[in-house]
């Protein structure tokens, strides 16, 4: 695979830049801060996209490489695969996916898979190498040029990492320790508490418990509905009975009013009786008193006169007696006549009173019958419950009070049922939320379990990779590494080995094996580069460009000449991009008469 053309519309400080690359060695020259690293990032971003994640940094790559001015944040790249297929990629870096066309200008974007995190996987599918693998093999950046004991040890460790785990930044032992730690801290197990899996399991149990409670309450809904209908019917029955009772009460009250009115008339009857009785008593008492008084008067007169007369003269006494008789007889006659007249008047009054009484009695009887008929008619017309029609007013009032209490209790009962129904209804509505929460939590658990499987699989794969690296790949790597190291060191270091105890060891010219960390920094850097190039040959069948960003900054001229010569002679099918801020590479290539393409930024 070779990059033919790159157009940068806007990427960081670079704007409106077009570059044509050579098929073999390309020297991209620019002074410090001229944009070499930016151009390199642009090339990688054209192939893999620009990341929006900060990954612990202050800003993301997308934010970092937005054009400084108002240029369009985009670019175009043309490259050719080893099979001769020509590809053109246009990428708007503010968007996730690029537009990909073939040499016939046909859009083939949708022929590649889309990863939800990485976007279109076109370059990986074409070369079978991802960005991370490219960064640890075919791309050596300026930051890998290491100085000092601490940095030298770090570089040596990276070499050991590659030989044990296949990746420079992964120590097998540390990776295993880290994975075990992640299993405990990020996942947890049955023996831990407060870890994610423990928290999620507790949450799941609680959610399931809530759902079971709601399910139990859901079964009550049918019973509550039946009970509610029964209470409603009971209320309706009580209300109907209260209607009848109140109608009976009204009728009874009206009946009492009428009877009270009738009572006034009955009181008149009593008055009639009292008058009659009084008249009769007056008549009897008057006759008796007059007779008695008259007899007494007459007797007294007679006795007095008779005594006087008889005392004086017997003849005069007789005469007096005769006079008395003469006078008494008219008085008796007059009295009798007066008595007859008065008696007639009294009798007439008594007769009239008796007639009035009889009329009033008839009227009362008729009124009572009318009241009774009206009550019966109203009862029949207005009161449905026949059993209530014969009750007396007091009983009716007691029944009303009792039924009103029953009605109040039934309404309270109905309200309680409705509140319970509403509560269960709210719980049923919450059930959906709880089920969604449970589903989400189960998904979280599944994610944790997936993560657990991933970590365990990573451990397993790392262990398998370690065994394979140790038994198969490491010997091959060290053999290839020995060949590369021999060529770039003028046969100074031609035998390199690796073991778990000593790590990477190098055979010196006198035959002694020494640990890699005892060598000079420059030598370690040569071995490191050789190891990466050795690994680079194994990862893909596609001949990926070798990208070197200030990788030779601390090489002396002899080492630089050796490595440039080796790259030119050994990697004949690989495009090589050398980013540099000096003209040393150019001078050596010119002196060695090696053809190259010079690009100045």
């Amino acid at each position: 695979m070779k990059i033919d053309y790159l157009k940068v519309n806007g990427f960081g400080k670079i704007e409106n830049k077009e570059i044509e690359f050579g098929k073999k060695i390309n020297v991209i020259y620019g002074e410090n801060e001229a944009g070499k690293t930016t151009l390199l990032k642009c090339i990688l971003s054209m192939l893999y996209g620009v990341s929006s994640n900060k990954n612990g940094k202050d800003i993301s790559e997308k934010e970092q490489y937005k054009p400084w001015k108002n240029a369009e944040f985009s670019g175009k790249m043309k490259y050719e695969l080893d099979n001769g297929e020509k590809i053109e990629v246009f990428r708007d870096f503010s968007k996730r996916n690029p537009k990909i066309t073939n040499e016939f200008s046909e859009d083939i974007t949708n022929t590649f898979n889309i990863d939800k995190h990485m976007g279109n996987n076109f370059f990986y599918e074409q070369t079978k190498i991802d960005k991370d693998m490219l960064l640890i093999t075919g791309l050596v950046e300026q930051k890998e040029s290491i100085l000092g004991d601490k940095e030298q040890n770090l570089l040596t460790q990276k070499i050991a990492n590659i030989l044990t785990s296949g990746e420079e930044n992964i120590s097998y032992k540390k990776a295993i320790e880290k994975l075990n730690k992640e299993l405990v801290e990020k996942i947890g197990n049955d023996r831990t508490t407060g870890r994610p899996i423990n928290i999620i399991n507790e949450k799941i149990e609680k959610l399931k418990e809530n759902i079971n409670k709601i399910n139990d309450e859901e079964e009550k809904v049918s019973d509550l509905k039946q009970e509610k209908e029964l209470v409603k019917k009971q209320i309706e029955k009580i209300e109907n009975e209260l209607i009848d009772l109140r109608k009976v009460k009204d009728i009874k009250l009206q009946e009492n009013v009428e009877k009270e009115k009738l009572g006034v008339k009955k009181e008149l009857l009593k008055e009639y009786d009292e008058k009659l009785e009084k008249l009769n008593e007056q008549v009897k008492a008057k006759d008796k008193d007059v007779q008695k008084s008259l007899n007494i008067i007459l007797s007294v007169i007679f006795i007095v006169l008779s005594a006087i007369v008889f005392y004086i003269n017997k003849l005069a006494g007789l005469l007096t007696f005769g006079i008395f008789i003469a006078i008494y007889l008219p008085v008796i006659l007059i009295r009798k006549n007066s008595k007859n007249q008065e008696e007639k008047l009294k009798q007439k009054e008594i007769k009239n009173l008796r007639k009035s009484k009889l009329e009033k009695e008839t009227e009362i009887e008729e009124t009572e019958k009318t009241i009774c008929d009206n009550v019966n008619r109203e009862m029949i017309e207005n009161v449905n419950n026949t059993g209530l029609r014969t009750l007396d007013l007091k009983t009716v009032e007691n029944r009303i009070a009792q039924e009103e209490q029953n009605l109040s209790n039934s309404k309270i009962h109905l309200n309680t049922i409705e509140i319970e129904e509403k509560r269960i209804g709210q719980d049923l509505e919450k059930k959906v939320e709880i089920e969604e929460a449970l589903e989400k939590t189960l998904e979280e658990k599944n994610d944790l379990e997936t993560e657990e499987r991933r970590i365990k699989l990573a451990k397993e794969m790392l262990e398998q990779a370690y065994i394979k690296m140790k038994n198969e790949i490491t010997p091959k790597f060290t053999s290839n590494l020995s060949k590369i190291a021999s060529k770039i060191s003028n046969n100074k270091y031609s035998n390199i080995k690796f073991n778990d105890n000593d790590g990477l060891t190098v055979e010196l010219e006198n035959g002694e094996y020494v640990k890699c960390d005892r060598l000079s920094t420059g030598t370690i850097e040569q071995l490191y580069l050789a190891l990466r190039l050795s690994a680079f040959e194994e990862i893909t069948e596609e001949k990926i460009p070798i990208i070197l960003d200030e990788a030779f900054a601390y090489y002396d001229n002899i080492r630089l000449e050796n490595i440039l010569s080796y790259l030119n002679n050994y990697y004949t099918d690989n495009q090589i991009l050398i980013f540099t801020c000096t003209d040393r590479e150019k001078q050596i290539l010119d002196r060695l008469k090696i053809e190259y393409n010079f690009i100045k930024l």
Side-chain angles (χ1 to χ4, degrees):
M1 176 260 184
K2 295 178 177 61
I3 301 171
D4 296 323
Y5 170 82
L6 177 66
K7 176 179 174 60
V8 184
N9 295 316
F11 193 91
K13 66 170 62 178
I14 303 175
E15 294 182 9
N16 300 319
K17 185 75 174 177
E18 294 187 58
I19 301 173
E20 292 189 3
F21 294 91
K23 298 292 185 183
K24 194 63 187 333
I25 297 177
N26 293 268
V27 177
I28 299 95
Y29 169 79
E31 296 180 358
N32 288 331
E33 304 300 326
K36 298 186 299 299
T37 301
T38 301
L39 179 62
L40 173 57
K41 292 293 184 182
C42 182
I43 292 172
L44 292 174
S45 298
M46 287 298 304
L47 299 175
Y48 295 105
V50 61
S51 175
S52 299
N53 296 324
K54 293 185 179 181
N55 295 323
K57 299 179 181 179
D58 292 335
I59 59 174
S60 66
E61 281 189 354
K62 182 176 286 188
E63 293 171 322
Q64 181 181 358
Y65 290 108
K66 277 186 177 180
W68 289 10
K69 298 180 181 179
N70 295 323
E72 181 181 333
F73 192 25
S74 65
K76 178 188 285 189
M77 175 185 285
K78 296 179 182 179
Y79 60 87
E80 183 178 349
L81 298 172
D82 291 349
N83 62 5
E85 184 180 359
K86 295 182 178 180
I87 302 296
E88 182 177 298
V89 179
F90 176 82
R91 189 183 287 274
D92 181 344
F93 295 108
S94 61
K95 297 180 181 179
R96 186 175 179 184
N97 292 307
K99 181 179 181 181
I100 308 163
T101 56
N102 58 20
E103 59 185 311
F104 306 107
S105 299
E106 295 172 337
D107 189 344
I108 58 172
T109 306
N110 294 330
T111 62
F112 302 100
N113 293 322
I114 304 294
D115 182 88
K116 64 179 181 179
H117 298 296
M118 303 303 297
N120 195 304
N121 275 334
F122 71 97
F123 192 66
Y124 175 78
E125 292 183 24
Q126 291 171 341
T127 63
K128 297 299 182 290
I129 182 169
D130 59 26
K131 184 177 181 180
D132 292 335
M133 186 58 70
L134 179 61
L135 290 175
I136 66 170
T137 55
L139 190 151
V140 182
E141 298 182 78
Q142 181 179 2
K143 63 182 179 180
E144 303 299 349
S145 299
I146 303 171
L147 294 174
D149 293 339
K150 180 179 179 181
E151 290 79 6
Q152 179 175 303
N153 291 336
L154 178 61
L155 185 56
T156 304
Q157 181 61 50
K158 286 191 175 186
I159 295 173
N161 289 346
I162 291 176
L163 291 173
T164 56
S165 67
E167 296 192 19
E168 65 176 31
N169 293 318
I170 297 179
S171 167
Y172 169 72
K173 291 182 179 179
K174 289 183 178 179
I176 291 295
E177 292 174 358
K178 183 178 180 181
L179 290 173
N180 287 332
K181 186 177 181 181
E182 283 186 355
L183 279 174
V184 174
E185 293 183 352
K186 292 185 177 181
I187 308 298
N189 52 52
D190 295 337
R191 298 184 299 277
T192 60
T193 57
R195 299 300 182 185
I197 194 67
N198 308 126
I199 295 171
I200 281 182
N201 283 334
E202 291 173 3
K203 186 176 180 181
I204 288 172
E205 289 302 315
K206 187 173 182 180
L207 290 170
K208 285 183 176 180
E209 182 180 344
N210 290 336
I211 289 175
N212 289 334
K213 286 182 180 179
I214 293 174
N215 288 337
D216 292 339
E217 289 184 337
E218 194 171 9
E219 294 177 0
K220 296 180 184 177
V221 172
S222 178
D223 295 338
L224 284 174
K225 286 183 178 178
Q226 292 180 2
E227 186 178 0
K228 183 178 179 180
E229 290 303 316
L230 289 175
V231 174
K232 281 184 175 181
K233 289 180 180 179
Q234 184 178 8
I235 288 173
E236 184 180 2
K237 180 181 178 182
I238 294 172
E239 287 177 338
N240 289 334
E241 186 160 347
L242 276 171
I243 290 172
D244 281 349
L245 284 169
R246 289 176 179 131
K247 287 179 179 177
V248 170
K249 180 182 177 181
D250 291 341
I251 293 171
K252 291 290 183 180
L253 289 173
Q254 185 61 35
E255 180 184 13
N256 286 347
V257 170
E258 295 299 324
K259 284 183 176 180
E260 286 178 1
K261 292 179 180 179
L262 190 62
V264 174
K265 295 180 179 181
K266 287 184 177 181
E267 288 297 324
L268 289 175
L269 287 178
K270 290 182 181 180
E271 291 180 5
Y272 288 153
D273 288 336
E274 289 176 357
K275 286 181 179 181
L276 286 171
E277 185 178 355
K278 188 175 181 180
L279 286 172
N280 287 328
E281 288 178 355
Q282 286 178 353
V283 169
K284 291 178 181 179
K286 188 173 182 180
D287 288 345
K288 186 176 181 180
D289 292 342
V290 170
Q291 182 65 35
K292 185 177 180 181
S293 300
L294 182 61
N295 290 335
I296 291 171
I297 294 170
L298 291 174
S299 297
V300 170
I301 293 172
F302 177 74
I303 292 169
V304 171
L305 289 175
S306 294
I308 294 170
V309 172
F310 189 77
Y311 179 74
I312 299 172
N313 188 311
K314 289 181 180 179
L315 180 61
L318 290 173
L319 181 61
T320 301
F321 181 75
I323 294 169
F324 171 74
I325 292 301
I327 294 170
Y328 179 68
L329 285 175
V331 169
I332 290 174
L333 291 175
I334 292 169
R335 173 185 168 277
K336 185 176 181 180
N337 184 49
S338 175
K339 179 182 176 182
N340 289 336
Q341 291 295 326
E342 186 177 352
E343 185 177 354
K344 285 180 180 180
L345 290 173
K346 293 291 183 184
Q347 290 297 330
K348 184 177 181 181
E349 185 178 355
I350 289 171
K351 183 179 179 180
N352 289 335
L353 280 172
R354 285 175 177 171
K355 182 180 179 182
S356 296
K357 179 185 175 184
L358 181 60
E359 289 175 351
K360 190 60 67 177
E361 286 176 343
T362 302
E363 181 183 350
I364 288 172
E365 287 177 3
E366 290 177 352
T367 302
E368 284 180 336
K369 185 175 182 304
T370 300
I371 292 171
C372 183
D373 291 343
N374 289 338
V375 168
N376 291 335
R377 186 183 70 255
E378 288 185 14
M379 289 288 187
I380 293 171
E381 289 177 354
N382 299 310
V383 180
N384 296 318
N385 190 340
T386 56
L388 303 177
R389 296 173 183 174
T390 58
L391 298 179
D392 60 76
L393 181 60
K394 185 175 182 180
T395 302
V396 169
E397 288 175 341
N398 290 337
R399 284 283 297 274
I400 288 174
Q402 182 61 46
E403 292 302 330
E404 284 177 344
Q405 184 62 46
N406 293 339
L407 180 62
S408 177
N409 293 338
S410 297
K411 286 184 176 180
I412 291 172
H413 188 191
L414 178 62
N415 186 52
T416 302
I417 294 173
E418 289 175 343
I419 291 173
E420 183 70 5
E421 275 186 330
K422 184 177 180 181
R423 184 189 65 78
I424 293 176
Q426 291 173 343
D427 287 343
L428 291 177
E429 290 177 0
K430 290 179 182 178
K431 182 181 177 182
V432 177
E433 297 177 5
I434 296 174
E435 288 175 338
E436 289 176 352
L438 176 60
E439 184 178 353
K440 183 178 178 181
T441 307
L442 289 172
E443 289 176 358
E444 291 175 359
K445 182 179 180 180
N446 184 60
D447 291 341
L448 274 180
E449 292 173 341
T450 300
E451 180 68 8
E452 181 182 27
R453 289 192 295 270
R454 184 192 68 78
I455 295 174
K456 289 181 177 179
L457 180 61
K459 280 182 62 179
E460 182 181 346
M461 292 179 66
L462 187 57
E463 289 166 353
Q464 292 175 356
Y466 173 71
I467 294 172
K468 185 174 182 180
M469 290 287 290
K470 182 178 179 181
N471 297 332
E472 300 177 17
I473 299 176
T474 299
K476 183 178 178 181
F477 267 15
T478 54
S479 175
N480 194 28
L481 176 61
S482 297
K483 293 177 182 178
I484 297 173
S486 177
K487 292 181 181 297
I488 65 178
S489 65
N490 287 328
N491 298 319
K492 187 175 182 180
Y493 306 111
S494 59
N495 192 6
I496 300 174
K497 296 186 180 297
F498 181 84
N499 61 64
D500 289 337
N501 294 326
D502 298 325
L504 195 69
T505 59
V506 180
E507 184 181 12
L508 301 179
E509 291 177 319
N510 63 3
E512 180 186 4
Y513 280 96
V514 297
K515 292 183 179 181
C516 181
D517 57 10
R518 290 179 56 186
L519 301 176
S520 67
T521 300
T523 301
I524 294 174
E525 286 180 343
Q526 283 183 307
L527 295 177
Y528 176 66
L529 176 60
L531 180 61
R532 290 181 67 140
L533 293 175
S534 177
F536 188 53
E537 296 178 9
E538 302 294 330
I539 61 174
T540 176
E541 295 180 359
E542 190 75 22
K543 300 298 183 181
I544 304 297
I546 298 172
I547 304 173
L548 305 167
D549 181 20
E550 299 288 2
F552 312 131
Y554 297 97
Y555 278 42
D556 58 31
N557 288 337
I558 294 175
R559 285 193 176 103
L560 179 57
E561 184 174 323
N562 288 338
I563 191 64
L564 290 176
S565 179
Y566 173 75
L567 290 172
N568 179 65
N569 295 329
Y570 190 79
Y571 293 98
T572 56
D573 294 329
N574 290 82
Q575 186 181 43
I576 299 172
L577 307 180
I578 301 172
F579 291 82
T580 180
C581 63
T582 71
D583 61 353
R584 290 198 308 150
E585 290 86 354
K586 183 178 184 302
Q587 291 177 4
I588 292 174
L589 290 171
D590 287 338
R591 186 170 67 250
L592 296 175
K593 296 183 179 180
I594 296 174
E595 185 179 348
Y596 65 94
N597 179 42
F598 186 75
I599 302 168
K600 185 175 181 180
L601 295 180

